[in-house]
Amino acid sequence: MTDFPRPGVRPNNPNFSSGPCAKRPGWTVEALADTPVGRSHRAKIGKAKLEEVINRTRAVLGIPDDYRIGIVPASDTGAVEMALWSLLGARGVDALAWESFGEGWVTDIVKQLKLPGVREIKAGYGELPDLSQVDFNNDVVFTWNGTTAGVRVPNGEWIKDDRAGLTICDATSAVFAMDLPWSKLDVVTWSWQKVLGGEGAHGMLVLGPRAVERLESYKPAWPLPKIFRMTKGGKLIEGIFKGETINTPSMIAVEDQIDALKWAESLGGVKALIARSEANLAVVQAWLDASDWAANLATVPATRSCTSICLSIKAPFFHKLSAEDKAAAAKKIVSILDKEKVGYDIGAYRDAPPGLRVWGGATVETADVKALLPWLDWAFAQVKAEFEAKAA
């Protein structure tokens, strides 16, 4: 059996999951010491904590003062569903998809809401749709960064300032790591467990003035469950955007998000967070450029994600394998890294092509990314030898 010497350096933090993501550097459970456990979120102290999340979020991201920020149920999924079910139906819809989560929103719009005449603008994994096809007379639903494909929109220049429809953007793996042009986005959603490494179950919903106007002037033809309702008597329920959450949040998770936001502030805000994520992408891409077996799934450099960095396997032996063996080989690499405790949860998403996915969000240290890469080579060499031996 071939001997494969182990790399000499291990990541200090082997957590490279794309959600929930690595906690901020230096995090310990003591960060949660000020949590008002056993207290109501509607008590003065609870509401103050929720308002603090909203205010710090606005400050770190530079969200305009006339945009509302709400903490909502069910993570990013809940936030997106609230927007889709409450806002769509007033005009046509352009639904963009180039990976599984975008596909999910298309399914909801077409098969659940059953809206007529929806224009589906799609591309395969690793590619971005032709954004010039978008009709801004329609409402436009899209992800800023495709978490399961590692493909992001490069900028907001394609979005018209004089649009008639709303732009509804799922930014869950983009916000805090990519520059979002707020004036071009009418609705933005995300979850705490991505770039800031927060805990799950809580979503963020940001509404621009145009989205608020739609909510107050349009009533969907379908019934809305309580957790989706944002208006009462034709007026926005302002309390939702002042810390009066629709359902009961975890105050432990809220305290953890405050800690993460304070950490972001200590670095210098969103620009520093973006720089950390871009540095992680740069390290991975330099390694990919020299690799004889791995490539970035995103084919166009400007569209490559700096958070959910998706890797395809380009080695000739791999392409000779059956679809079943390709999946098995990729899973074996993931298993080896997990067993060695050097890289956790880096398998490609289940609907994506067989490969790997390394999270490069702001809480991940670049030194840990650098330390991981030789281990990828090491694990791949073992898997390659195993499958070639089977074929011999």
Side-chain angles (χ1 to χ4, degrees), residues 5-62:
R6 287 173 172 76
V9 179
R10 292 171 174 268
N12 288 325
N13 184 351
N15 295 334
F16 297 100
S17 163
S18 291
C21 301
K23 308 298 287 184
R24 64 159 175 85
W27 183 93
T28 66
V29 72
E30 281 71 30
L32 309 178
D34 288 338
T35 305
V37 291
R39 295 296 308 276
S40 170
H41 63 294
R42 301 196 189 284
K44 184 176 180 180
I45 188 172
K47 185 178 177 181
K49 292 283 187 180
L50 291 160
E51 284 185 308
E52 184 174 356
V53 169
I54 291 171
N55 293 337
R56 289 184 184 274
T57 297
R58 185 184 300 279
V60 169
L61 292 175

Side-chain angles (χ1 to χ4, degrees), residues 31-365:
L32 309 178
D34 288 338
T35 305
V37 291
R39 295 296 308 276
S40 170
H41 63 294
R42 301 196 189 284
K44 184 176 180 180
I45 188 172
K47 185 178 177 181
K49 292 283 187 180
L50 291 160
E51 284 185 308
E52 184 174 356
V53 169
I54 291 171
N55 293 337
R56 289 184 184 274
T57 297
R58 185 184 300 279
V60 169
L61 292 175
I63 298 174
D65 290 342
D66 58 351
Y67 277 54
R68 271 78 159 191
I69 305 172
I71 300 168
V72 300
S75 194
D76 178 62
T77 301
V80 175
E81 297 288 13
M82 286 179 71
L84 299 185
W85 286 76
S86 299
L87 294 165
L88 295 186
R91 58 177 57 239
V93 178
D94 278 14
L96 282 60
W98 56 92
E99 47 87 61
S100 59
F101 288 105
E103 286 280 2
W105 307 142
V106 172
T107 297
D108 281 1
I109 294 166
V110 174
K111 295 185 178 181
Q112 301 301 321
L113 287 172
K114 301 183 186 300
L115 294 180
V118 175
R119 299 176 72 237
E120 300 177 34
I121 304 174
K122 297 184 178 182
Y125 279 84
E127 300 177 347
L128 194 67
D130 181 0
L131 300 178
S132 68
Q133 294 183 29
V134 175
D135 181 358
F136 287 98
N137 287 313
N138 295 332
D139 293 332
V140 181
V141 179
F142 69 103
T143 57
W144 191 273
N145 180 80
T147 311
T148 65
V151 176
R152 59 176 164 179
V153 294
N155 53 56
E157 294 176 4
W158 57 284
I159 301 173
K160 291 185 177 180
D161 291 327
D162 61 348
R163 60 193 176 277
L166 300 178
T167 49
I168 300 175
C169 176
D170 173 359
T172 195
S173 59
V175 71
F176 293 109
M178 301 174 195
D179 188 16
L180 300 183
W182 294 101
S183 65
K184 291 178 176 286
L185 304 175
D186 299 304
V187 180
V188 181
T189 70
W190 69 90
S191 54
W192 290 354
Q193 73 265 29
K194 294 292 187 179
V195 178
L196 290 187
E199 294 303 302
H202 300 79
M204 299 296 288
L205 176 65
V206 175
L207 302 177
R210 300 177 73 251
V212 174
E213 181 183 9
R214 171 75 64 81
L215 283 171
E216 294 184 336
S217 62
Y218 164 71
K219 184 178 181 180
W222 45 84
L224 291 177
K226 180 179 179 180
I227 62 170
F228 285 4
R229 296 175 205 155
M230 291 183 278
T231 61
K232 185 175 182 180
K235 294 294 182 181
L236 187 72
I237 303 173
E238 293 285 359
I240 295 173
F241 306 94
K242 297 178 181 178
E244 296 173 12
T245 54
I246 295 173
N247 71 336
T248 305
S250 162
M251 295 311 298
I252 293 177
V254 169
E255 192 68 34
D256 187 66
Q257 183 66 179
I258 292 172
D259 173 75
L261 288 163
K262 288 179 177 178
W263 171 74
E265 292 165 358
S266 74
L267 296 177
V270 69
K271 289 185 178 179
L273 299 174
I274 292 172
R276 287 176 63 89
S277 294
E278 291 289 354
N280 289 336
L281 170 61
V283 167
V284 175
Q285 192 58 52
W287 171 77
L288 287 171
D289 290 341
S291 177
D292 61 358
W293 68 269
N296 198 311
L297 184 60
T299 56
V300 178
T303 69
R304 289 170 178 162
S305 172
C306 63
T307 55
S308 53
I309 307 169
C310 295
L311 313 182
S312 62
I313 300 175
K314 65 180 183 181
F317 100 90
F318 185 79
H319 290 284
K320 296 177 182 178
L321 300 177
S322 66
E324 183 178 347
D325 281 345
K326 285 179 180 177
K331 288 180 180 179
K332 186 64 180 290
I333 294 173
V334 173
S335 177
I336 291 171
L337 296 168
D338 185 275
K339 184 177 180 180
E340 284 292 327
K341 301 179 180 180
V342 293
Y344 295 138
D345 310 320
I346 65 170
Y349 191 73
R350 61 178 179 268
D351 295 332
L356 306 174
R357 181 172 58 164
V358 178
W359 183 254
T363 57
V364 176
E365 298 277 36

